[in-house]
Amino acid sequence: MSLEDEIRQLKEERRAVLLAHNYQRPEVQDLADFVGDSLYLSRKAVEDDRPVIVFAGVRFMAETAKILNPNKTVLLPDLRAGCGLADSITAEQLRTWKEAHPGAVVVAYINTSAEVKAESDYCCTSSNAVKIVSQIPADREILFLPDMFLGDYVRRRTGRAMHLWVGDCPVHTKMRPEQVDHARIEHPGAPIVAHPECGCTSRVLESVDRILSTDGMLRFAEETRAPEVLVATEVGILHRMRRLNPTTRFLPLEPGAICPYMKETDLADIRDSLRLGRWVIDVPPATADRARRSLERMIAA
Ligand code: 13P
Ligand code: SF4
């Protein structure tokens, strides 16, 4: 039996749903029940009624699924699948920051640990950060964490004077303004779409055509009639973009933008995860209860 068939069979036997992020390996995306961005997968984790969730993504995503579904079993197939951005702030650091700004509203990007979410008022993803910040009363001070590029983008879109945590994603930081300039010369007329985590200065974001979450990029891919599109995010997204629209050439702005954490999970890990029931992601109930408030506010927004 092929590895793919083994996984399909085990999924049935265990009554498991396989969720995969847009940056996962192509063969993992192809087997998943649902593929999408962080917000979409959080919603699917709640809507699907199977008792086991296998999360082909990174740890904070599996933790989020567990917080939202305390009675389900959540499995992360490879424990090395962390996130450099989520590691840039600890709950202790956030508590110290909050003490310096009493009464401030804390908005945490979903790329954070469960402990950090428990210290936050709102969660957001790249697809709803602007909406969530816009809904906060204008007289409230805001602490936004941990991605300074996403924070700066939201600050400019909403006009809100937020305090930003100085964190970034090691993959998106690689995207430099000079690469955008170069791409404009090499591919004249080709639209450039970018994820709001892109660095290295916000000039990258100023000079691209569209700033979109990974699902936003997929919608753009379906609709565009441009012969070529340059894509400034992790290269895993190109798989679905090319499937959705085979007539447009989707090219990476930075071919080296490969998230090592997202690529940890392969089909053998997923098969073993289903077969052996590993690795179970648990969040202490007291932390989960506090973190759930900020996530539920995000999902309801
Ligand atoms: P999305 O929410 O756009 O899927 O992004 C998640 C992520 O980790 C980006 O690096
Ligand atoms: Fe984290 Fe960056 Fe990888 Fe996204 S691309 S999971 S933010 S390290």
Side-chain angles (χ1 to χ4, degrees):
M1 195 190 292
S2 71
L3 199 46
E4 282 88 347
D5 283 343
E6 237 183 303
I7 291 171
R8 284 190 197 97
Q9 188 176 320
L10 283 162
K11 241 162 38 68
E12 286 290 311
E13 285 170 18
R14 304 279 191 266
R15 295 186 53 225
V17 59
L18 177 60
L19 304 179
H21 187 264
N22 290 322
Y23 297 160
Q24 288 289 295
R25 295 167 183 267
E27 64 275 20
V28 171
Q29 295 189 30
D30 289 348
L31 257 192
D33 296 291
F34 300 103
V35 186
D37 69 1
S38 311
L39 183 61
Y40 174 82
L41 294 175
S42 302
R43 291 203 165 115
K44 283 293 161 202
V46 176
E47 286 164 15
D48 197 273
D49 57 9
R50 281 167 273 198
V52 178
I53 297 172
V54 179
F55 217 121
V58 293
R59 188 183 181 103
F60 75 78
M61 295 179 178
E63 279 185 355
T64 300
K66 182 64 188 178
I67 293 163
L68 293 171
N69 300 280
N71 298 325
K72 293 184 189 172
T73 300
V74 178
L75 303 175
L76 183 69
D78 192 316
L79 284 179
R80 291 169 299 183
C83 169
L85 176 58
D87 289 344
S88 71
I89 185 164
T90 64
E92 187 54 44
Q93 287 172 312
L94 176 52
R95 280 191 286 272
T96 306
W97 202 28
K98 282 165 63 175
E99 274 163 29
H101 298 274
V105 177
V106 178
V107 182
Y109 191 29
I110 196 163
N111 298 43
T112 44
S113 66
E115 292 75 21
V116 166
K117 287 185 178 76
E119 291 289 338
S120 303
D121 299 299
Y122 290 87
C123 261
C124 69
T125 71
S126 56
S127 54
N128 63 9
V130 169
K131 187 175 175 193
I132 287 186
V133 168
S134 309
Q135 289 173 357
I136 297 171
D139 59 343
R140 299 293 301 275
E141 198 178 10
I142 300 175
L143 305 182
F144 187 95
L145 62 103
D147 191 87
M148 59 179 163
F149 297 115
L150 174 65
D152 187 46
Y153 165 70
V154 173
R155 195 156 62 176
R156 283 184 286 123
R157 282 283 307 274
T158 60
R160 295 297 299 266
M162 308 189 297
H163 301 279
L164 307 182
W165 186 257
V166 184
D168 62 10
C169 157
V171 181
H172 288 84
T173 301
K174 285 186 183 153
M175 248 77 69
R176 318 280 307 192
E178 309 82 68
Q179 286 173 289
V180 178
D181 299 341
H182 185 70
R184 292 267 183 231
I185 296 165
E186 291 286 306
H187 304 275
I192 303 180
V193 295
H195 194 276
E197 285 175 21
C198 282
C200 196
T201 71
S202 52
R203 195 164 79 73
V204 171
L205 295 184
E206 275 162 23
S207 53
V208 301
D209 300 284
R210 300 284 288 272
I211 300 165
L212 298 165
S213 71
T214 55
D215 270 6
M217 287 188 190
L218 293 167
R219 282 191 291 276
F220 178 87
E222 265 181 311
E223 287 160 14
T224 187
R225 293 292 164 263
E228 279 189 335
V229 172
L230 282 132
V231 182
T233 192
E234 212 274 350
V235 297
I237 188 105
L238 296 167
H239 175 63
R240 261 181 91 203
M241 289 181 128
R242 290 169 179 157
R243 277 266 170 90
L244 287 168
N245 178 350
T247 56
T248 295
R249 278 182 81 212
F250 294 97
L251 303 166
L253 184 80
E254 164 54 68
I258 299 170
C259 175
Y261 307 103
M262 284 283 183
K263 300 298 186 265
E264 290 289 2
T265 306
D266 61 19
L267 290 180
D269 293 326
I270 294 172
R271 188 261 326 268
D272 294 345
S273 174
L274 283 159
R275 194 191 266 165
L276 305 168
R278 73 184 192 194
W279 304 95
V280 175
I281 297 301
D282 268 324
V283 177
T287 306
D289 289 347
R290 293 179 66 211
R292 196 173 304 115
R293 291 172 317 180
S294 57
L295 279 166
E296 284 177 347
R297 282 186 193 135
M298 173 189 87
I299 288 179

